[in-house]
C-alpha cells in the first residue's frame, strides 16, 4: 500500500530550505515551495514561474518569482502569532502527493487558551493560474482573531530584486502588479477570500504587501473557515494580465474551495492513471518512486506548446532556472511513457531555440548548432564563463561548462530521435526537428580533428558529463554521442531523399548529397576510445595517467566542505576521481557497443571512483548494473535517485553558489531504472516486451506505458509476466 502523504512533525528553522523543496506543490505553470503562509523571502518562499526570465544589472538572469498570493498569518488578542518568532505548542506540515495538496497545522498557546490554525492549499491543475487555500481556525476560548491575508511582493530572489515597480489598485480585491527590471514583464497577482460567518474586513497596504484583516471573535471550539483564491498572470500570458487575474479569482470565488478541491483531485487521479507504479514487496521504494513522479508531474509544462523543464524544476531560481541536458537524457523517458504530448512540448522547446544554438555556434566560430549549456528563453545560454566562486578568494573561477560541454547538442538530437522512435510521430521533424538534427551534425563535423597520418577523427578540448576534468581530448561519451548524431543525420537525409515533399524541403539536392557523404564518413571514422587489456575504457585521453586514488582520500584533501572539486586547482582534477557517471552513461545508453564483460568491468572500475557529486549519477550506474544482471547492486543507487528529494541532503553548494532545490533528473532517472532496468522494459519492432530483473525482495510490479500511440498495462509477478494493450491513445 502506498502512503500518499508525507508529513513532518515539529518545527525546525534549519530545515526550512529542505522542506521548501520536499513539500513543493506545482502545476507546470508555477511551483510554490513548501514554506509556511507567514514566511517571507528570508525563508525562501517562492512562487516560481515557468519559462519567464529577467536580469538585474550584470547579475545572472533567472526566472521570476511571482508575488506570493498565499501570504497570511494570525493575530490573537492583538498579538501576531507567526513562526519562527512564536514557538508553537505543536506544528506539522503534510503533503498529499497523490493530489498536490499541502497542509499545515499549528497550535498556538496564548495566555488565555489554545488556537489551532490549519491551512490547506494547492495550485490548480485545471486552472493553472489559480492557487486555492482554506484557513481553518479554532480556539478553545473566545479569542479575538485577526486573520491577516494578502499578497507579498517582497519576493525571494537570488540575483534580484527583479521588480522595479510595484503597484496596488484601490480595489475591493487584493492585488499587486509588478514590473520586472530588464524585460519589463508585468506580473499581476490578485487575491480574494470568502467567509461564511460574521466578521469585519479591512483592506490595507504595508511594505510591498496588499493585505486584508478579517476580524472576528471565536465561539469556543467552533471552526471558522476562510477560503482564499489567488491568480497569477504575466504579460507573456496575456495583454491585460491584471484583468485576467481578477476574472480568474472571480470565477474561483464562484466555484468555491470544495468544488475546486474535487476538481484538483480528479485531475491528479487522471494523471496517476498512466503514471502510478505499483511495487509488490517494497513500500519504501514504491513511495519514493511515485513521489518522484509527483515532482515530474508537478513541473510538466502541460499548458504550453513549446517549453522545457529547469534542472531544479519550479523550486526556485537555483541554476538560473535553466534547462540542461537533464531534460532529454533523464526526464524525457518518463514523459514519453506516461504523457507523450508533454514529451513533444519539451522537444519543441529545443526546436524553437535552434536559432539561439546557431548563434552560439557562430559566436565560437563553429558551424551548425551548439545548444546552450544552461538554456533560457530563446535558447540564451545563461551559463557564465565564471560559473563557480572560489571559496577561499571569493573570486569567480573561470569554468568551461559553457564553451566545452559540447555533448549538449547531441542530447537534443537524442531527445528528438527518441521522441520520433517512441511515438512514430514524425511531424516534429517537419516542424523543425529535421533541421535541428542537421545543424547539430554540422556542429560536430566542424569539431572533428585529424592527426597527421591518422584515419580517425577526434574531438579535442571538451568537458564530458564528469565536469571535474576540464578541456580533455576524446571524451568517450562525447565522441559516442557525436557518432550517434552523425548516424541520425544520415538516416534523416535518407528519409528526406525518399520523401522529399515532407522532410528537409528547403535543402537542395547537392547539399544533401554532400552532407550525407560527410556525415557518413564522420560516423565511420570518429574515434571511439577502446577498452584496455583490463577491459576498461579511458574516460578521455590520458585518464589512466592521473593519480589513482579513492573518493575518501580526495575528500580528505578538501580545505573547506564547500570547495569546488574541479577546475584548475580542484582536488579531483588531477586524479581519476570523477563527479558523475561518464563512461557509464555512454555504456548504459549503448550497451551493444561492447561485450558483456566489458560492461561489467567498467561498472566495477568507475563506480568506486565516482563521487556521485551530481544527482544525475546514481541512476546511470543503476541502469548499467541492471544491464549487467546485478539488481542488488542497482537497488541502493535506484533508491538514492528516487529519494533525492524525499530525503534531502544533496549538495547545496558549488563553491559559494547555492544549488539547492528539487532534482527532477534524479526523479526521471529513478523511473528509468524501475521500468527499463528492473522491469526490463523494451520497445522494439513495434512491440513492448519485459524481461524482469527485480531486486530479490520485489515480488512484482504493475504499471502502464504509452508506446506508438497505444497504451499498455504491464504486470510482473513471481508466477508470470503480462503485457496487455489496453487502449489507443489519440
Ligand atoms: C551536473 C550536470 C547537470 C547540472 C544540472 C551539474 O551539477 O554536473 O550534469 O546537468 O548539474 O542538473
Amino acid at each position: 500500500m502506498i502512503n500518499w502523504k508525507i508529513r513532518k512533525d515539529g518545527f525546525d528553522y534549519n530545515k526550512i530550505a529542505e522542506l521548501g523543496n520536499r513539500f513543493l506543490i506545482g502545476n507546470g505553470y508555477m511551483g510554490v515551495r513548501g514554506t509556511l503562509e507567514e514566511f517571507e523571502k528570508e525563508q525562501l518562499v517562492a512562487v516560481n514561474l515557468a519559462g519567464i526570465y529577467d536580469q538585474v544589472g550584470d547579475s545572472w538572469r533567472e526566472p521570476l518569482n511571482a508575488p506570493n498570493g498565499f501570504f497570511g498569518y494570525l493575530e490573537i488578542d492583538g498579538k501576531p502569532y507567526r513562526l519562527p518568532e512564536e514557538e508553537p505548542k505543536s506544528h506539522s506540515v503534510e503533503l498529499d502527493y497523490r493530489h498536490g495538496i499541502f497542509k499545515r497545522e499549528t497550535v498556538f498557546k496564548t495566555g488565555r487558551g489554545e488556537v489551532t490554525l490549519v491551512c490547506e492549499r494547492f495550485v490548480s491543475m485545471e486552472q493553472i493560474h489559480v492557487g486555492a487555500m482554506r484557513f481553518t481556525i479554532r480556539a478553545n476560548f473566545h479569542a479575538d482573531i485577526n486573520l491577516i491575508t494578502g499578497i507579498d511582493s517582497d519576493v525571494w530572489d537570488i540575483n534580484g530584486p527583479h521588480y522595479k515597480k510595484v503597484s496596488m489598485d484601490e480595489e475591493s480585491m487584493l492585488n499587486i502588479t509588478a514590473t520586472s527590471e530588464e524585460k519589463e514583464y508585468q506580473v499581476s497577482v490578485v487575491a480574494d477570500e470568502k467567509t461564511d460567518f460574521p466578521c469585519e474586513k479591512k483592506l490595507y497596504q504595508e511594505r510591498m504587501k496588499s493585505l486584508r484583516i478579517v476580524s472576528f471573535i471565536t465561539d469556543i471550539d467552533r471552526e471558522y473557515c476562510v477560503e482564499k483564491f489567488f491568480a497569477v498572470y504575466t504579460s507573456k500570458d496575456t495583454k491585460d494580465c491584471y484583468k485576467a487575474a481578477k476574472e480568474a479569482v472571480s470565477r474561483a470565488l464562484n466555484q468555491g474551495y470544495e468544488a475546486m478541491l474535487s476538481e484538483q483531485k480528479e485531475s491528479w487521479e487522471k494523471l496517476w492513471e498512466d503514471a502510478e507504479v505499483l511495487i509488490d514487496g517494497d513500500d519504501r521504494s514504491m513511495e519514493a518512486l511515485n513521489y518522484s513522479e509527483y515532482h515530474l508531474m508537478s513541473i510538466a509544462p502541460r499548458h504550453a506548446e513549446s517549453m522545457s523543464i529547469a534542472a531544479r524544476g519550479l523550486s526556485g531560481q537555483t541554476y538560473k532556472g535553466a534547462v540542461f541536458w537533464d531534460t532529454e537524457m533523464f526526464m524525457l523517458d518518463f514523459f514519453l511513457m506516461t504523457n507523450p504530448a508533454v514529451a513533444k512540448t519539451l522537444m519543441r522547446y529545443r526546436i524553437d531555440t535552434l536559432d539561439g544554438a546557431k548563434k552560439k555556434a557562430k559566436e565560437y566560430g563553429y558551424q551548425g548548432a551548439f545548444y546552450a549549456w544552461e538554456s533560457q528563453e530563446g535558447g540564451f545560454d545563461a551559463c557564465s564563463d565564471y560559473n563557480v566562486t572560489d571559496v577561499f578568494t571569493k573570486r569567480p573561477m573561470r569554468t568551461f561548462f559553457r564553451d566545452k560541454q559540447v555533448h549538449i547538442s547531441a542530447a537534443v538530437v537524442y531527445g528528438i530521435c527518441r521522441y520520433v522512435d517512441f511515438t512514430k510521430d514524425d511531424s516534429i521533424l517537419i516542424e523543425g526537428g529535421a533541421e535541428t538534427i542537421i545543424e547539430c551534425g554540422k556542429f560536430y563535423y566542424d569539431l572533428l580533428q585529424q592527426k597527421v597520418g591518422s584515419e580517425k577523427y577526434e574531438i579535442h578540448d571538451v568537458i564530458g558529463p564528469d565536469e571535474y576534468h576540464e578541456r580533455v581530448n576524446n571524451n568517450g561519451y562525447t565522441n559516442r554521442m557525436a557518432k550517434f548524431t552523425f548516424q541520425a543525420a544520415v538516416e534523416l537525409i535518407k528519409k528526406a531523399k525518399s520523401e522529399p515533399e515532407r522532410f528537409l524541403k528547403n535543402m537542395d539536392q547537392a547539399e544533401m548529397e554532400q552532407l550525407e557523404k560527410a556525415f557518413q564518413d564522420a560516423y565511420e571514422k570518429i574515434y571511439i576510445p577502446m577498452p584496455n587489456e583490463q577491459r576498461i575504457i579511458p574516460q578521455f585521453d590520458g585518464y589512466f595517467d592521473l593519480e589513482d586514488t579513492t573518493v575518501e582520500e580526495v575528500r580528505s584533501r578538501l580545505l573547506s566542505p564547500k570547495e569546488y572539486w574541479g577546475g584548475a586547482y580542484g582536488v579531483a582534477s588531477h586524479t581519476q576521481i570523477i563527479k558523475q557517471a561518464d563512461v557509464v552513461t555512454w555504456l548504459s545508453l549503448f550497451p551493444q557497443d561492447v561485450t558483456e564483460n566489458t560492461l561489467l568491468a567498467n561498472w566495477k572500475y568507475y563506480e568506486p571512483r565516482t563521487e556521485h557529486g551530481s544527482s544525475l549519477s546514481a541512476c546511470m550506474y543503476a541502469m548499467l548494473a541492471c544491464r549487467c544482471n546485478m539488481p542488488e547492486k542497482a537497488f541502493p543507487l535506484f533508491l538514492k535517485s528516487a529519494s533525492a528529494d524525499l530525503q534531502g541532503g544533496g549538495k547545496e553548494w558549488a563553491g559559494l553558489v547555492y544549488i539547492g532545490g528539487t532534482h527532477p533528473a534524479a526523479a526521471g532517472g529513478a523511473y528509468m531504472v524501475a521500468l527499463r532496468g528492473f522491469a526490463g522494459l523494451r520497445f522494439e519492432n513495434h512491440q513492448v516486451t519485459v524481461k524482469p530483473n527485480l531486486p530479490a525482495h520485489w515480488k512484482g510490479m504493475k504499471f502502464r506505458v504509452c508506446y506508438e500511440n497505444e497504451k499498455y498495462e504491464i504486470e510482473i509477478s513471481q508466477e508470470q509476466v503480462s503485457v496487455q494493450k489496453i487502449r489507443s491513445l489519440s
Side-chain angles (χ1 to χ4, degrees), residues 311-312 319 324-326 373 405 465 467 579-580 613-614 616 665:
R312 290 287 181 264
Y319 275 136
F324 292 63
W325 69 316
D326 304 31
W373 179 242
Q405 219 157 153
E467 295 174 338
K579 179 180 182 185
Q580 64 198 84
S614 158
L616 278 55

Side-chain angles (χ1 to χ4, degrees), residues 277-283 285-286 289 638 674 698 700-702:
V277 178
L278 298 177
I279 300 170
D280 184 10
D282 186 351
D283 286 357
S285 292
M286 178 160 66
L289 179 59
F638 155 77
W698 288 21
M701 288 178 79
K702 190 173 171 190

Side-chain angles (χ1 to χ4, degrees), residues 44-180:
L44 314 189
V45 174
V47 179
N48 192 236
L49 300 178
I52 177 166
Y53 301 85
D54 193 79
Q55 182 172 26
V56 176
D58 290 335
S59 325
W60 289 342
R61 182 178 280 115
E62 61 192 8
L64 287 175
N65 283 331
N68 173 22
F70 278 142
F71 182 75
Y73 64 95
L74 276 188
E75 275 180 11
I76 309 167
D77 296 341
K79 177 183 161 204
Y81 279 77
R82 304 173 58 154
L83 274 60
E85 291 85 5
E86 189 64 36
E87 188 159 337
K89 179 172 180 236
S90 67
H91 173 74
S92 67
V93 286
E94 190 180 273
L95 175 73
D96 165 0
Y97 64 92
R98 177 89 183 177
H99 306 114
I101 299 165
F102 172 91
K103 190 165 143 187
R104 70 85 70 90
E105 181 162 350
T106 310
V107 179
F108 293 111
K109 203 167 164 53
T110 80
R112 296 207 294 140
E114 285 176 9
V115 178
T116 304
L117 170 70
V118 180
C119 303
E120 186 184 80
R121 68 188 196 208
F122 59 90
V123 284
S124 169
M125 267 290 171
E126 205 58 37
Q127 305 170 49
I128 53 164
H129 298 273
V130 178
M133 171 150 106
R134 181 167 58 196
F135 296 95
T136 307
I137 298 149
R138 185 165 33 86
N140 64 2
F141 64 105
H142 292 294
D144 192 345
I145 298 286
N146 285 336
L147 171 67
I148 320 287
T149 155
I151 308 168
D152 181 9
S153 69
D154 193 12
V155 300
W156 170 43
D157 279 315
I158 295 181
N159 294 292
H162 284 275
Y163 295 125
K164 61 179 172 192
K165 201 174 128 216
V166 171
S167 60
M168 302 178 211
D169 232 20
E170 300 284 329
E171 277 254 5
S172 59
M173 284 189 189
L174 299 161
N175 66 87
I176 286 184
T177 295
T179 309
S180 79

